[in-house]
Amino acid sequence: MTALKIDGERLWQSLMDLARIGATPRGGNARLALTALDGQGRDLVAGWMRDAGLTVTVDRVGNIFGRRAGRDDSLPPVMTGSHIDTQPTGGKFDGCFGVLAGLEVMRTLNDHGVRTEAPLELAIWTNEEGTRFVPVMMGSGVFAGIFPLQTALDATDNEGKRVADELRAIGYAGDAEVGGRRIGAYFEAHIEQGPVLEDADNVIGVVTGSLGLRWYDLTVTGMEAHAGPTPMPLRRDALYGASFIVQEVVRIAHDFAPHGRGTVGVMTVHPASRNVIPGEVKFTVDLRHQDAGRLAEMDARLRAACAALARGETTGAPLGVKIEDVQYFPPTPFAHELVGHVRGQAAALGYTHQDIVTGAGHDAVYIATVAPTAMIFVPCKDGISHNEVEDARPEHLEAGANVLLGAMVAQAGA
Ligand SMILES: [Zn+2]
């Protein structure tokens, strides 16, 4: 059959309509998970889902599913989805694009009277952002069995409000069990949230998997002393020592290019006085790579650098170095067949495209642990997201939704 095309203007209008709920003065969005505004956003989109003929179900952690029956409704559905909660100074596209692109797929199939062989489903996952409640990617995480339902329901915000109560307050404490719902395949469209596509002038990112990550807390301990009377050879300067680790983190990431990443994002210096040699420095390290073996090698390099620093080989003075493991997410390769559908559709539709990995967490990364999964990226302006200035071009969003439509139909069978 000839390639169906979504209605780009309708997609854009839906994005703008949703963005009016929780609009910020600088053009962004603030719809934090399970606030009244999130409830209004959910009501709007769930209403659109019903208008599109979808059967809407809500589970106990507030995930929303809209189902479009297939010719053979006993087949596991081809699902798409994302999230509509935002950061406090978030944008109009992060998450919302994936949900509304999925809705646009359903609307387009309705317009053309196309019934797929397998059923289709559209999911809105609860609290992807993790701003108000942790853990982050809460709804998809419980669905995939990454953490228990009760952990999510008992999570509190900084006013002590519980997820369970806030779900009830906005009318999204559903009664469907979380997880166990069959998924034949899962596609998620998303803005890239990075600069790679824009830099390469490509329209579609064919996401082959997600970077694994390791988070650490490091503490370097030296000796506080007066900055004047203490000669250089007799110092044990914790910040000077830590600076070598900061540089090594960046060097490691470069040495494992192009998929290595290394970041020190937080540093606290004690006692933080201009005329005291720093006695203790605490800082975070974030290492990422798409290959588990390479990530393990990066980990070993970091530990070797810490050991050398502790022995005094780096600064000439031994320092205390403590390295604590905070979090490990292994790299997640996406499903070969589904990635192939995304690449094939991008090519068939004539969109410039490239393979890419996601360095950010997504609901799709959790869903990939329970179902074959792939993602579709479109560029965002200057690679910026989690910011009110987050922006994306209508024609890129349209292209991403067209690839999603083609991939879902190819998978579900027309
Ligand atoms: Zn997102």
Side-chain angles (χ1 to χ4, degrees), residues 50-108:
R50 291 190 184 92
D51 291 346
L54 306 184
T55 306
V56 175
T57 306
V58 181
D59 73 16
R60 293 179 62 198
V61 75
N63 294 323
I64 302 170
F65 301 94
R67 182 180 174 93
R68 187 177 194 271
R71 279 199 305 274
D72 181 351
D73 216 35
S74 68
L75 291 170
V78 174
M79 184 184 280
T80 189
S82 197
H83 61 96
I84 60 169
D85 66 312
T86 76
Q87 293 282 328
T89 53
K92 299 191 276 289
F93 305 101
D94 176 1
C96 300
F97 167 58
V99 170
L100 297 179
L103 177 70
E104 184 54 39
V105 166
M106 308 292 189
R107 287 170 165 173
T108 301

Side-chain angles (χ1 to χ4, degrees), residues 82-83 94-95 128-129 190 193 362:
S82 197
H83 61 96
D94 176 1
E128 191 272 351
E129 296 289 1
H190 208 283
Q193 303 184 276
H362 289 291

